[in-house]
Amino acid sequence: MPLSFPSRRLFSIAAALILLVGIALPAWADFALPPLPYAADALEPAIDAATMTFHHDRHHGAYVANLNAQITANPELADLSLEALQGRISRFPEAVRNNGGGHWNHSQFWAVMAPLGQGGSPSPELLAAINGSFGSLESLQQQFSQSAAARFGSGWAWLIRRPDGSLAITSTANQDNPLMDLAGLERGTPLLGLDVWEHAYYLKYQNRRPDYIQAWWPLLNWNEVNRRFQAAEARA
Ligand code: MN3
């Protein structure tokens, strides 16, 4: 008996879906550039739209493309999540370290920022941990800003949760981060990372990195930092 019209149509849709999934499947192994969680001009005036667009589309985009270009030579990359890769980065060549780090670091960077007034505030639990490790939120901000300003050349400033549960501020060079299994690097769960590469601020601030850092604080997405802290506590 020939298939009736609705069944035939359903069959065609199912066939098309299977075909699409089949085409898309190999691509699932690739790393992908996440879209910005807000418009490119949403963080103005502290971070201008041109900087955001270049930074996200070109710089982050290049880290993703360059990381994907490493998969052929390092096929085990295809089986690792981006986060799992960080903890095994020492087993890979420098290009994977730079671009894999760049991809993870920037993915968290977009998420820990929010348009002015939309970032919330530290949760009571996070605030208690901050007070325990730094004395006060102001003290944390002061020490973090200092660390970010003092990083020589390109790199990142981090607020991390140490394995012992305390919070600490660290700084890494280039695209390294505290998840990486590298000697000489203080490891911990990053709650917050600030990009202090010149490409993050030069268009608007030129050499005035401290002005960029000061303007950046009000954009902090505490809701996301709270979430990361809660997840780290739950894993401990
Ligand atoms: Mn950057």
Side-chain angles (χ1 to χ4, degrees), residues 55 59 63 106 109-110 156 175 195 197 199-200:
H55 198 177
H59 289 276
Y63 296 126
H106 287 84
F109 186 52
W110 315 129
W156 293 75
Q175 295 297 353
D195 190 344
W197 281 57
H199 69 222

Side-chain angles (χ1 to χ4, degrees), residues 85-173:
L85 168 63
Q86 310 304 310
R88 298 169 198 207
I89 209 80
S90 67
R91 305 179 197 182
F92 291 90
E94 186 141 358
V96 173
R97 172 175 167 183
N98 290 335
N99 293 294
H103 183 20
W104 192 91
N105 294 351
H106 287 84
S107 298
Q108 74 79 39
F109 186 52
W110 315 129
V112 297
M113 297 190 290
L116 212 57
Q118 292 180 28
S121 53
S123 66
E125 295 80 12
L126 178 60
L127 204 53
I130 288 171
N131 290 336
S133 293
F134 303 102
S136 68
L137 179 58
E138 292 68 33
S139 172
L140 154 69
Q141 290 181 311
Q142 208 167 22
Q143 290 179 46
F144 186 97
S145 296
Q146 201 166 13
S147 175
R151 161 54 52 193
F152 184 78
S154 299
W156 293 75
W158 303 96
L159 172 65
I160 62 167
R161 183 190 179 281
R162 287 194 182 116
D164 71 2
S166 65
L167 305 187
I169 289 160
T170 73
S171 160
T172 55

